[in-house]
Amino acid sequence: MSSETGEVSINAVSLRYRDGGLPLRPAHKPRLTVILLTMSNSWQDRRQALLGPGPCAAPALKPLFFDPPRAFAWRRKLLGHVGGADGEAGVAPRGHTAMAGVGGGNDFQWCFSQVKGAIDEDVAEADIISTVEFNYSGELLATGDKGGRVVIFQREQESKNRPHSRGEYNVYSTFQSHEPEFDYLKSLEIEEKINKIRWLPQQNAAHFLLSTNDKTIKLWKISERDKRAEGYNLKDEDGRLRDPFRITSLRVPVLMPMDLMVEASPRRIFANAHTYHINSISVNSDHETYLSADDLRINLWHLEITDRSFSILFCGEFFFPLDRAPSDIVDIKPANMEELTEVITAAECHPHQCNVFVYSSSKGTIRLCDMRAAALCDRHTKFFEEPEDPSSRSFFSEIISSISDVKFSHSGRYMMTRDYLSVKVWDLNMENRPVETYQVHEYLRSKLCSLYENDCIFDKFECCWNGSDGAIMTGSYNNFFRMFDRNSRRDITLEASRESSKPRAMLKPRKVCTGGKRKKDEISVDSLDFNKKILHTAWHPKENVIAVAATNNLYIFQDKIN
Amino acid sequence: MEYKVEAHRIMSISLGKIYNSRVQRGGIKLHKNLLVSLVLRSARQVYLSDYYGGVCVRSPHAGGVEWGEGDQMDSDGSRSTPDEHGGESALVSDDSVRIPEVSVNGPAAAVEGQDIEDLAPGSDYNCQQSPQEDVGSVKTEGSGSAETGGPGSGSEHCVSRSENSQQGSAEVTATCCTRKRGAERSASAGSPVKRPKATAVPALPPVGGEGEGPEDMDTGNVSSLITIFGSSFSGLLSKEGAQPATDSEDSDSGKICCEQMLPNLNPWSTAIVAF
């Protein structure tokens, strides 16, 4: 891994595509052609245009996943392999339809399950976790850190030996996803920090995820290898070539089981599409396209195609080169900077409608766009904004109203936005105000000035739904995280700390004292540690298991049903 | 009075952040700098509203200068902040006055010169006497939208003036104040004269059309701030690097910024004029 020369080297087992796809050398970065189709507004036409150019016939679209699923699953089961087979949830389903509340009830309590990461006081910057994401089945949990690494945990199958303990998450795969790069043209270093990880729905035995840093998105294939071929004719067991004259007989290589090896290989690299820092990626419900958003632009990609994407939203103007075809746009001039008033802060595809996406802005507004309406979605279909309360104006009103995360509910009916002090749930059918607002840490409102000084006011907290959309969770400072039950309107503050890290220890609700008299067990606002912040949390899609990233540690909590 | 100090402190902090963003790993983050520039604008509005409240009461000469601006402002009445104090609306909206000035006069440097020229006497007075009038309920944000406030040029020379006045009120570097007054007196008073600006921060990039609003200038500021900070503040960089970047140091660094900047006025001004 050499960052001086700007080369990218991936610590993965296989470095080349078996199908002879794109090489990994960044010197051959694919030239990006950004196409803005103005001639055709048809959604199908645009998808077709993405898939294949006109004159030169594109090769027949290779399916992204081509392993025969059934044979593979059969072989895996034969070998008694643990872990989820293709498509099947690795965890035995429990009766989890009744998604319990957030705690405090008689039948539900959050307990510590595991913690991953070092305990040192001195945390290396590269170890700070920057994103956490469960996959669709919840079997895999991926984390990305500031050092560009991705660590994937897999849940163990529940064994007969310990029927009461849920499956634990153990390291499944670790790989270096992004390396620091240097943009020579702008003399800027591109951070290797993983901004977002998004899983693709599993279609065969391998797992696919998208990971992105500030500029480049990569599609990674994580596959298991538990067999190797032995008995080659031309080389012996060490790999050395045998002398052809010594070979007197032929044999057929046979597949022998080996220790399970999980290899991660980059399948696609989507680069050179963003001038500003990528803040979001979101896989579309058609499982073929995904969108990536930076401050001023949203691109729509096809998972197969890396050398071009659609800019479906762009704040600026295109520059057409004079000596090439207009479709060959190679440079984008960003918006007239004098007119810039807001930037895109997050974007997400609708979970069920593949033509709908939303994006949030730094002004606290959310726009929902329908890609069928026009090629360039700069005219929104719906505009969500809550009128500002003029009595709470301050220097920092604009900063704290900037939305840091937007998430659709699993049902697709609601969406949730997180700004600095609150979480708001919006009904997609009502644009003028949210249906629910939850204050996360309102006691910080009087401290905004000092939070501005120490840059904490710019922290981008994320939020997440639980599987049934009945509860939402978000992080706060002092390693606190908050959960809100939408049905019972109860909320709870919990802490991710080493002190409460005994196995199956119940988490005690915490309280921040805002008034004068501090009760026992309460914490005053001034003694909160603002360096311990929980920005990234994730909730298992089907069960009451949550993953909370506290700086360099990943805490996993589960419910304990009495 | 506290509002002014607070506003000045926030402005210094904001400038420090914008500067630090340039040397940060990963490049300049547009979102954060946009937010910081919005805070800078709000603080400047507060500071200016405070400032003119003090000046208007005290000095007829400065008042005369400003009423001169007021004439121009009347023609631009639509731009005045609706929720500013009635008594000061004429003065405060001198920001908006500068918007047509910016566009009419073309090069931002010239405009900056005019601004400084117009305000120079005011700043002198402010240096000498600390404004006693407390601007009542300070609207920290103004209307917060496009029609309020003024171009980022206001923010820049506001900062330098604020730094000067801060020094004046702190009586730490009275010599600096004197030097600035001297520099300004050297230019002919009264009629606006195209003069190289003498502020801590760079001029705006030339504005295309009429000022779109304060946000325009502020983000234009960001890019120009970054370029000019990078090129002309190498001395400042070494000085600031030596200091621990703690919160308490922010206002100090603001002062140091000004102290170091003043000797470099001349190379600055030539650079800006050329720009």
Side-chain angles (χ1 to χ4, degrees), chain A residues 258-269:
Chain A
M258 60 182 253
D259 292 336
L260 179 67
M261 186 168 63
V262 180
E263 42 182 26
S265 56
R267 288 316 236 176
R268 303 281 183 272
I269 297 180

Side-chain angles (χ1 to χ4, degrees), chain A residues 12-14 17-18 64-67 152 173 175 199 204-210 218-224 262-268:
Chain A
V13 174
S14 77
Y17 303 129
R18 292 196 198 86
L64 192 58
F65 319 111
F66 55 86
D67 289 329
I152 302 178
S173 171
F175 55 94
W199 289 94
N204 56 19
H207 300 275
F208 287 82
L209 60 78
L210 287 168
K218 296 188 183 178
L219 175 70
W220 287 89
K221 174 180 178 182
I222 298 103
S223 51
E224 297 176 3
V262 180
E263 42 182 26
S265 56
R267 288 316 236 176
R268 303 281 183 272

Side-chain angles (χ1 to χ4, degrees), chain A residues 79-114:
Chain A
L79 294 170
H81 179 64
V82 297
D86 52 327
E88 294 170 8
V91 178
R94 277 180 163 229
H96 51 67
T97 51
M99 217 24 138
V102 297
N106 291 332
D107 56 348
F108 189 84
Q109 192 62 255
W110 286 104
C111 306
F112 171 82
S113 174
Q114 294 170 274

Side-chain angles (χ1 to χ4, degrees), chain B residues 69-81 93 95-101 147 210-211:
Chain B
E69 295 172 4
D71 293 338
Q72 285 178 319
M73 184 277 307
D74 290 337
S75 62
D76 225 73
S78 61
R79 293 191 183 270
S80 37
T81 317
S93 346
D95 301 333
S96 43
V97 170
R98 291 190 182 82
I99 297 175
E101 282 185 359
E147 65 265 14
E210 292 286 320

Side-chain angles (χ1 to χ4, degrees), chain A residues 378-397:
Chain A
D378 52 353
R379 298 164 69 87
H380 48 263
T381 305
K382 292 194 192 216
F383 182 73
F384 299 85
E385 183 179 28
E386 183 173 28
E388 191 187 355
D389 178 16
S391 64
S392 61
R393 270 276 189 196
S394 75
F395 281 123
F396 310 106
S397 298

Side-chain angles (χ1 to χ4, degrees), chain A residues 238-299:
Chain A
D238 299 337
R240 283 177 305 189
L241 291 175
R242 291 166 72 182
D243 187 0
F245 296 105
R246 301 269 176 90
I247 300 173
T248 54
S249 63
L250 286 179
R251 55 187 177 168
V252 176
V254 292
L255 291 175
M256 302 295 295
M258 60 182 253
D259 292 336
L260 179 67
M261 186 168 63
V262 180
E263 42 182 26
S265 56
R267 288 316 236 176
R268 303 281 183 272
I269 297 180
F270 307 91
N272 298 332
H274 286 281
T275 312
Y276 299 95
H277 301 299
I278 297 177
N279 52 51
S280 316
I281 49 175
S282 177
V283 181
N284 211 343
S285 54
D286 61 5
H287 304 158
E288 284 185 358
T289 55
Y290 74 95
L291 60 77
S292 62
D294 70 8
D295 288 322
L296 291 182
R297 179 206 221 139
I298 299 182
N299 284 339

Side-chain angles (χ1 to χ4, degrees), chain A residues 146 180 188-192 214 276-277 295-296 337-345 361-363 393-399 402-403 449-455 458 460, chain B residues 6-7 9-10 13-14 17 24-32 34-36 38-39 41-43 46 140-144 205-206 212 215-217 219-220 223 247-248 250:
Chain A
K146 283 195 174 180
L188 287 180
E189 191 182 4
I190 301 172
E191 274 191 297
E192 69 276 26
D214 283 339
Y276 299 95
H277 301 299
D295 288 322
L296 291 182
M337 294 301 278
E338 283 96 12
E339 296 173 1
L340 185 71
T341 58
E342 58 185 318
V343 295
I344 300 168
T345 52
S361 80
S362 57
K363 274 193 173 173
R393 270 276 189 196
S394 75
F395 281 123
F396 310 106
S397 298
E398 278 142 346
I399 301 189
S402 172
I403 292 177
C449 193
S450 35
L451 292 170
Y452 177 70
E453 286 180 50
N454 61 14
D455 271 358
F458 300 106
K460 295 195 192 311
Chain B
E6 177 76 5
R9 194 170 75 90
I10 289 181
I13 295 170
S14 306
K17 287 191 194 298
Q24 252 171 20
R25 203 169 161 246
I28 299 163
K29 295 193 172 28
L30 181 64
H31 183 207
K32 181 176 174 184
L34 178 66
L35 295 176
V36 169
L38 292 175
V39 171
R41 180 175 60 88
S42 315
V46 168
T140 60
E141 191 65 31
S143 66
E212 304 295 336
E215 295 89 359
D216 329 341
M217 314 304 173
T219 30
S223 41
D247 300 338
S248 57
D250 274 335

